[in-house]
Amino acid sequence: MLYLIGLGLGDAKDITVKGLEILRACSRVYLEAYTSILTVGKEALEEYYGRELILADRETVEQEADEILRGADQTDVAFLVVGDPFGATTHSDLVLRAVKAGIQYRVIHNASIMNAVGCCGLQLYNFGETVSIVFWTDSWKPESFYDKIKRNRQSGMHTLCLLDIKVKEQTLENLMKGRKVYEPPRYMSVCQAAEQLLEIVRHKREENEDLAISEDTVCVGLSRVGSEDQKIKAGTLRQLALVELGKPLHSLIITGHLHPMELDMLRLFAVDEQSLAALKAVDSSTFTS
């Protein structure tokens, strides 16, 4: 059997009792190490789980899936995923490979950012399509996700923005020369995401396009959701570009229509009195019965 086990969002103790019992009985245990991170390292997980963990980076999961599945038709193999196992499409690919190879699989679910984001007070059923915001470079500044935000806003829906993670990335030069030299890990912050969105707003305004968001759109920044040092800040997009939320991982929400109760919750996390006033100002304009 192949077991895909969610680890939750915080630390080693967020695994379910069922997941912990299963992984302790498996012959091999892999730890997926590139779509997300926990607040503790591999060593802390190994100590708590009482098992050696095999790190599975992007290259391993996407190019060496057969090695992960090796022998899983005769013994139990666990594949650990931060959050919930189906938070990334890569894991669906692993399941499809297992089925094709005649290997049974079972999923042990856990909390992920897709549901834990409700901690800020915005109702989960008011969210539209989730988008990803990637790091820009001097020559590559994609804006395609903006259209999804626009569609969500037109429908009055909130948008969860998942922020870029760069783990085990190579420079173009090292990639072309076949050198396995990797850049230090990078994790996009709410500040960086907000700055890129502000640049898109300026660009759309210069092109005389109708704006889906502006500098004054109410947004929510979150960091390390599920951890003891979790932080939440609500304010305008302009304000969040200046807010420091600490260590990764970060997420950003662009609000749509706001119910009065959602507004009351966001006031608990207002950046300052100015942002609190901004939240009050949008009551009548953003809420529809």
Side-chain angles (χ1 to χ4, degrees):
M1 180 82 74
L2 170 68
Y3 288 96
L4 292 92
I5 302 175
L7 299 183
L9 293 169
D11 56 29
K13 294 182 179 179
D14 280 355
I15 191 172
T16 64
V17 174
K18 181 185 294 184
L20 184 58
E21 291 176 347
I22 289 172
L23 78 83
R24 284 178 173 170
C26 287
S27 61
R28 298 194 311 278
V29 182
Y30 292 89
L31 173 62
E32 190 264 82
Y34 69 90
T35 60
S36 189
I37 59 169
L38 284 177
T39 58
V40 295
K42 172 175 173 284
E43 294 74 17
L45 297 181
E46 289 179 326
E47 181 178 356
Y48 186 74
Y49 299 159
R51 288 299 311 272
E52 178 185 356
L53 304 181
I54 305 168
L55 280 181
D57 57 23
R58 181 187 296 272
E59 184 176 317
T60 301
V61 178
E62 296 183 350
Q63 300 179 24
E64 302 174 21
D66 291 342
E67 175 58 25
I68 296 174
L69 297 175
R70 176 179 53 82
D73 56 340
Q74 300 174 359
T75 187
D76 292 333
V77 175
F79 185 77
L80 310 183
V81 181
V82 176
D84 187 81
F86 287 116
T89 54
T90 298
H91 309 139
S92 296
D93 179 68
L94 187 61
V95 166
L96 292 172
R97 288 173 180 268
V99 171
K100 186 176 181 180
I103 297 170
Q104 297 184 73
Y105 75 94
R106 184 180 176 192
V107 180
I108 310 300
H109 293 285
N110 210 320
S112 76
I113 190 62
M114 301 294 285
N115 55 23
V117 72
C119 65
C120 69
L122 297 178
Q123 299 299 313
L124 294 179
Y125 52 75
N126 288 336
F127 278 80
E129 185 175 358
T130 299
V131 306
S132 296
I133 299 181
V134 300
F135 281 112
W136 281 355
T137 67
D138 292 337
S139 59
W140 187 64
K141 297 185 176 183
E143 300 181 359
S144 56
F145 61 88
Y146 174 85
D147 293 331
K148 295 180 181 179
I149 295 173
K150 185 175 184 178
R151 288 197 295 269
N152 285 343
R153 292 270 294 174
Q154 289 172 337
S155 300
M157 310 299 284
H158 311 313
T159 305
L160 170 61
C161 303
L162 302 179
L163 308 187
D164 203 4
I165 296 175
K166 295 291 187 185
V167 178
K168 208 173 181 182
E169 296 282 333
Q170 294 174 276
T171 63
L172 182 59
E173 180 182 357
N174 285 330
L175 188 63
M176 292 179 66
K177 293 184 177 180
R179 297 186 301 208
K180 292 195 173 183
V181 178
Y182 303 101
E183 296 294 290
R186 289 191 298 151
Y187 307 96
M188 182 179 287
S189 68
V190 165
C191 292
Q192 292 170 311
E195 288 171 355
Q196 290 186 186
L197 283 166
L198 288 172
E199 186 169 333
I200 292 175
V201 169
R202 290 191 289 269
H203 174 250
K204 298 294 183 183
R205 186 177 285 125
E206 290 171 357
E207 297 294 322
N208 293 318
E209 294 187 28
D210 292 334
L211 296 178
I213 59 175
S214 73
E215 294 84 351
D216 296 320
T217 297
V218 176
C219 299
V220 185
L222 308 97
S223 69
R224 299 172 75 81
V225 171
S227 303
E228 290 185 3
D229 56 351
Q230 166 182 301
K231 293 182 181 179
I232 304 173
K233 290 295 182 182
T236 65
L237 181 61
R238 181 189 290 109
Q239 288 173 327
L240 289 189
L242 302 173
V243 171
E244 177 53 57
L245 291 178
K247 297 178 181 178
L249 293 172
H250 291 195
S251 301
L252 176 68
I253 302 170
I254 300 170
T255 64
H257 293 164
L258 289 163
H259 186 280
M261 186 174 294
E262 291 180 307
L263 282 166
D264 287 341
M265 285 295 296
L266 291 188
R267 291 188 185 106
L268 299 177
F269 309 112
V271 171
D272 54 29
E273 290 300 323
Q274 180 180 352
S275 61
L276 185 63
L279 290 176
K280 288 181 178 179
V282 299
D283 283 15
S284 60
S285 62
T286 60
F287 173 61
T288 56
S289 57

